């Protein structure tokens, strides 16, 4: 069984829309619905779990109930940090889940090819994250803005989602993070702490996380480009 967890319980503060950004429309549909429809088009996906802010669970259920063509889904309540939201989602997954994907509800432009390749790689290696090669030079600085190091760009990747794992591995990683009070910025970092292998799956530059207002403009253009390519 393959389950996808969609963290959607953020506040979208950087979008400055005065609401959770995943409800904003992209090409006439709420962003999170577009994301779920993308995964619903993959025949290998069995179950989808949307993690909603506690006071948005009913709104999300209502919106989802009007959409045709979705894979079986549940809506559960999230927490104050993305990591806690994902953990709640994992606990709600079907007991016979072998492979779990975590995918930001705010990334509706992911390709089916990327989704499938992370699944294949997670089966082989245990963990797989979608990523693109860093386009910019990245420097590590100290707290005063003084440059300390310029890592070789050839080894730098910008990490996206899906982040896909064998279910037992991601459960164990979240359990351990909770015990240790560790808060990571993505799912793979919790798995890395266990010393387990996580592999990169090269994705594409369309798979942006809609974060700030200009991302919506870019996403509308990307959506048109993707639809034009069909
Ligand atoms: N998310 C979540 N639970 C949280 C925080 C974030 O489920 N407590 C989700 C968001 O809804 C989003 C994804 O995690 O789909 C990626 O997070 P991010 O882009 O940071 O979204 P927000 O936290 O909503 O935005 P911001 O940080 O600007 O407030
Ligand atoms: Mg956030």
């Amino acid at each position: 069984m393959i389950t996808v967890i969609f963290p959607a319980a953020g506040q979208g503060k950087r979008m400055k829309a005065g609401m959770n950004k995943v409800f904003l429309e992209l090409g006439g549909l709420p962003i999170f619905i577009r994301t779920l429809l993308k995964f619903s088009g993959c025949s290998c996906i069995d179950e989808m779990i949307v993690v909603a802010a506690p006071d948005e669970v009913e709104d999300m259920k209502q919106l989802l109930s009007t959409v045709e063509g979705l894979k079986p889904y549940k809506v559960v309540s999230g927490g104050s940090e993305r990591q806690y939201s994902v953990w709640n989602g994992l606990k709600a997954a079907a007991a016979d889940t072998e492979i779990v994907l975590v995918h930001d509800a705010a990334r509706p432009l992911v390709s089916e090819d990327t989704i499938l390749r992370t699944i294949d790689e997670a089966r082989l290696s245990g963990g797989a994250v979608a990523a693109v090669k860093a386009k910019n030079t990245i420097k590590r600085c100290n707290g005063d803005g003084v440059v300390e190091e310029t890592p070789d760009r050839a080894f730098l990747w910008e990490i996206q989602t899906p982040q896909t794992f064998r279910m037992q591995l991601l459960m164990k990683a979240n359990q351990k993070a909770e015990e240790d009070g560790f808060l990571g910025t993505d799912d793979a970092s919790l798995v890395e702490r266990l010393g387990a292998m996580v592999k990169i799956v090269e994705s594409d530059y369309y798979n942006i996380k809609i974060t700030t207002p200009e991302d919506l403009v870019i996403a509308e253009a990307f959506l048109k480009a993707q639809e034009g390519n069909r």
Side-chain angles (χ1 to χ4, degrees):
M1 177 121 180
I2 301 185
T3 298
V4 191
I5 315 274
F6 298 99
Q11 293 180 270
K13 286 191 192 142
R14 286 169 287 177
M15 185 56 72
K16 299 192 173 91
M19 62 190 286
N20 181 352
K21 65 190 180 184
V22 303
F23 286 96
L24 297 175
E25 287 192 357
L26 175 68
L29 276 179
I31 289 171
F32 77 97
I33 303 257
R34 281 210 173 269
T35 308
L36 266 73
L37 281 169
K38 186 63 70 70
F39 283 77
S40 296
C42 299
S43 56
C44 66
I45 303 291
D46 299 299
E47 178 192 41
M48 307 193 294
I49 298 178
V50 185
V51 189
D55 60 349
E56 291 175 350
V57 169
E58 289 311 316
D59 287 352
M60 284 200 172
K61 280 188 182 164
Q62 211 285 321
L63 279 167
L64 287 164
S65 71
T66 66
V67 180
E68 278 174 32
L70 291 173
K71 286 278 170 94
Y73 64 85
K74 288 181 202 165
V75 183
V76 303
S77 281
S80 58
E81 298 286 346
R82 182 184 179 282
Q83 183 176 315
Y84 308 148
S85 295
V86 171
W87 194 201
N88 283 0
L90 284 170
K91 289 172 183 162
D96 57 346
T97 299
E98 288 156 17
I99 296 288
V100 63
L101 296 82
V102 182
H103 186 76
D104 295 323
R107 288 188 196 268
L109 300 172
V110 62
S111 74
E112 180 168 351
D113 180 61
T114 295
I115 295 168
L116 299 182
R117 284 187 297 116
T118 69
I119 294 171
D120 288 345
E121 190 58 59
R123 284 196 195 283
L124 282 175
S125 304
V129 295
V132 286
K133 287 181 174 142
K135 288 186 189 180
N136 294 303
T137 295
I138 303 204
K139 294 187 189 288
R140 196 175 54 74
C141 306
N142 70 14
D144 299 323
V146 176
V147 173
E148 293 193 327
E149 192 202 354
T150 305
D152 182 350
R153 202 178 61 200
F155 297 102
L156 293 178
W157 292 82
E158 286 185 33
I159 304 304
Q160 307 173 335
T161 67
Q163 301 204 352
T164 305
F165 307 90
R166 292 188 198 128
M167 180 65 169
Q168 284 190 344
L169 179 61
L170 190 60
M171 290 293 285
K172 194 173 157 192
N174 274 269
Q175 186 75 55
K176 179 89 166 64
E178 183 175 76
E179 281 164 21
D180 299 347
F182 177 82
L183 192 61
T185 55
D186 72 346
D187 310 288
S189 59
L190 312 189
V191 170
E192 293 156 33
R193 289 180 77 241
L194 301 178
M197 182 162 63
V198 176
K199 286 198 76 175
I200 293 283
V201 168
E202 189 162 4
S203 166
D204 58 59
Y205 294 102
Y206 287 109
N207 185 21
I208 59 168
K209 180 162 67 67
I210 299 179
T211 306
T212 54
E214 61 273 18
D215 290 334
L216 263 182
V217 181
I218 295 166
E220 290 284 357
F222 281 179
L223 184 67
K224 283 208 183 82
Q226 286 184 339
E227 286 178 342
N229 285 340
R230 272 206 207 119

